[in-house]
């Protein structure tokens, strides 16, 4: 018979085993190597960071999942330990989507749950459009569906004004004004800030701007006057969206009507006191919501 202490010891040992982090790489179709951190076992969850960030952004979500899921935190191309190819064309959306597919295949899987934040969420939406057969479920942080966001840009001058940064990023030489230390200004924990600065110093700031130069019309630009509306294939898996109401870059109203473009159940969670980095501003709520939502759909 097992004593209570034995049960606790085994539970602690199992938990410790589950959080072992592996450094791994996948190679995309163009040969670019994508670094990722993997841990746990179970259904595959691929987490995609945004701008300006890296795989470590998921450090709080990973242990909330990896006791029952195989969690993978990606460094997208241009960032941290992933390859940093030169040229705007190397950051076009088809290549970014192909990188995610390469990670799934490197894990020996046919499909995955995809979680994305910021530009990672734009990649996640486009993965849903382009690789539906490889998508199990979709979790989006902070970024509206591209169609509803295009409508928001076309009708809400506040959102159009707040999106001007994306226009500025496309200007030649915009990367010269960027530093890791400036980006880390809002991070309060010294150890976390040091890791963040180190990761961004390994990254390519021209590559970061190339994401916007190559993809600005995809999901973050309103159609020109008189042009046909931007359309995308329907999303055919369950979708969870979490958004900080205080997000100054992407307004919460941009999510209105997203359910019209999703054929399965969709869940929208608005967090009143959270900003754009909703997974950092309300980590306990975000982590618990994602875990509960995923478990209910196993």
């Amino acid at each position: 018979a097992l004593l209570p202490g034995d049960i606790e010891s085994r539970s602690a040992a199992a938990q410790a085993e589950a959080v072992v982090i592996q450094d791994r790489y996948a190679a995309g179709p163009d040969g670019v190597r994508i670094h990722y951190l993997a841990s746990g076992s179970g259904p595959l969850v691929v987490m995609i960071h945004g701008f300006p960030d890296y795989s470590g952004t998921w450090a709080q979500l990973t242990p909330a999942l990896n006791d029952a899921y195989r969690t993978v935190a990606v460094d997208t191309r241009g960032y941290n330990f992933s390859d940093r190819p030169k040229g705007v064309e190397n950051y076009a959306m088809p290549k970014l989507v192909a990188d995610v597919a390469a990670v799934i295949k490197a894990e020996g899987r046919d499909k995955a749950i995809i979680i994305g934040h910021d530009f990672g969420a734009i990649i996640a939406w486009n993965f849903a459009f382009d690789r539906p057969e490889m998508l199990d479920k979709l979790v989006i942080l902070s970024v509206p569906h591209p169609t509803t966001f295009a409508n928001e840009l076309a009708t809400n001058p506040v959102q159009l004004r707040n999106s001007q940064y994306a226009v500025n990023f496309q200007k030649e030489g915009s990367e010269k004004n960027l530093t890791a230390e400036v980006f880390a200004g809002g991070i309060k924990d010294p150890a976390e800030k040091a890791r963040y600065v180190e990761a961004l110093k390994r990254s390519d700031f021209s590559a970061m701007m190339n994401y916007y130069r190559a993809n600005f019309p995809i999901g973050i630009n309103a159609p020109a006057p008189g042009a046909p509306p931007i359309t995308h294939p329907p999303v055919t898996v369950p979708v969870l969206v979490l958004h900080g109401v205080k997000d100054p870059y992407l307004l919460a109203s941009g999510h209105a009507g997203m359910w019209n473009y999703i054929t399965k159940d969709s869940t929208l969670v608005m967090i009143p006191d959270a900003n754009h980095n909703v997974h950092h501003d309300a980590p306990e709520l975000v982590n618990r919501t994602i875990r509960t939502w995923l478990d209910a759909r196993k």
Side-chain angles (χ1 to χ4, degrees):
L2 288 173
L3 298 174
D6 295 329
I7 296 173
E8 291 173 5
S9 296
R10 290 193 179 189
S11 176
Q15 194 170 24
E17 183 180 354
V19 297
V20 172
I21 306 294
Q22 302 169 313
D23 277 287
R24 302 197 66 185
Y25 286 86
D30 60 356
V32 171
R33 291 202 320 156
I34 302 299
H35 171 259
Y36 63 93
L37 301 173
S39 61
S41 60
L44 181 62
V45 178
V46 176
M47 301 177 289
I48 314 169
H49 69 82
F51 163 86
D53 218 330
Y54 75 114
S55 54
T57 197
W58 305 110
Q60 295 184 78
L61 178 58
T62 293
L65 298 178
N66 66 4
D67 64 316
Y69 295 87
R70 175 69 168 174
T71 58
V72 163
V74 175
D75 284 322
T76 62
R77 58 174 60 200
Y79 284 90
N80 199 26
F81 290 114
S82 287
D83 286 351
R84 301 177 291 277
K86 301 298 182 183
V88 173
E89 68 280 2
N90 282 310
Y91 297 87
M93 188 56 65
K95 289 183 178 288
L96 305 179
V97 168
D99 288 345
V100 177
V103 170
I104 295 172
K105 292 174 183 175
E107 283 293 304
R109 308 296 183 93
D110 296 322
K111 60 172 52 182
I113 299 158
I114 305 294
I115 300 177
H117 171 252
D118 187 76
F119 215 104
I122 298 176
I123 298 171
W125 281 120
N126 281 275
F127 191 90
F129 305 146
D130 298 343
R131 307 288 178 107
E133 74 284 356
M134 297 186 72
L135 185 62
D136 185 6
K137 299 171 192 69
L138 184 63
V139 179
I140 296 291
L141 279 61
S142 305
V143 177
H145 184 286
T147 299
T148 62
F149 187 60
N151 294 338
E152 185 76 2
L153 279 172
T155 59
N156 188 340
V158 175
Q159 180 60 79
L160 187 62
R161 182 177 66 245
N162 291 6
S163 300
Q164 183 61 38
Y165 72 91
V167 178
N168 296 335
F169 282 165
Q170 296 178 80
K171 296 177 181 177
E172 184 177 355
S174 59
E175 57 269 19
K176 295 176 182 178
N177 300 318
L178 307 176
T179 68
E181 288 79 8
V182 168
F183 284 137
I187 301 176
K188 296 181 174 60
D189 180 75
E192 182 184 355
K193 178 178 285 191
R195 290 190 293 270
Y196 184 87
V197 169
E198 186 179 0
L200 286 193
K201 284 186 173 180
R202 279 191 290 265
S203 305
D204 186 328
F205 285 77
S206 294
M208 296 180 197
M209 298 299 93
N210 286 341
Y211 275 78
Y212 292 89
R213 292 167 181 146
N215 301 291
F216 186 72
I218 299 179
I220 52 173
N221 193 21
I230 297 171
T231 60
H232 302 280
V235 178
T236 56
V237 299
V239 178
L240 168 64
V241 173
L242 302 105
H243 194 98
V245 174
K246 291 184 176 179
D247 188 336
Y249 306 109
L250 300 166
L251 303 182
S253 53
H255 293 284
M258 73 167 193
W259 44 87
N260 294 318
Y261 308 100
I262 301 166
T263 64
K264 299 293 186 181
D265 63 279
S266 57
T267 306
L268 179 58
V269 178
M270 291 292 178
I271 303 177
D273 297 324
N275 206 308
H276 181 66
N277 293 320
V278 62
H279 55 313
H280 294 308
D281 294 340
E284 292 183 4
L285 176 57
V286 168
N287 296 351
R288 184 173 65 249
T289 301
I290 292 174
R291 177 60 187 264
T292 302
W293 186 86
L294 289 178
D295 286 352
R297 288 160 181 78
K298 276 188 174 178

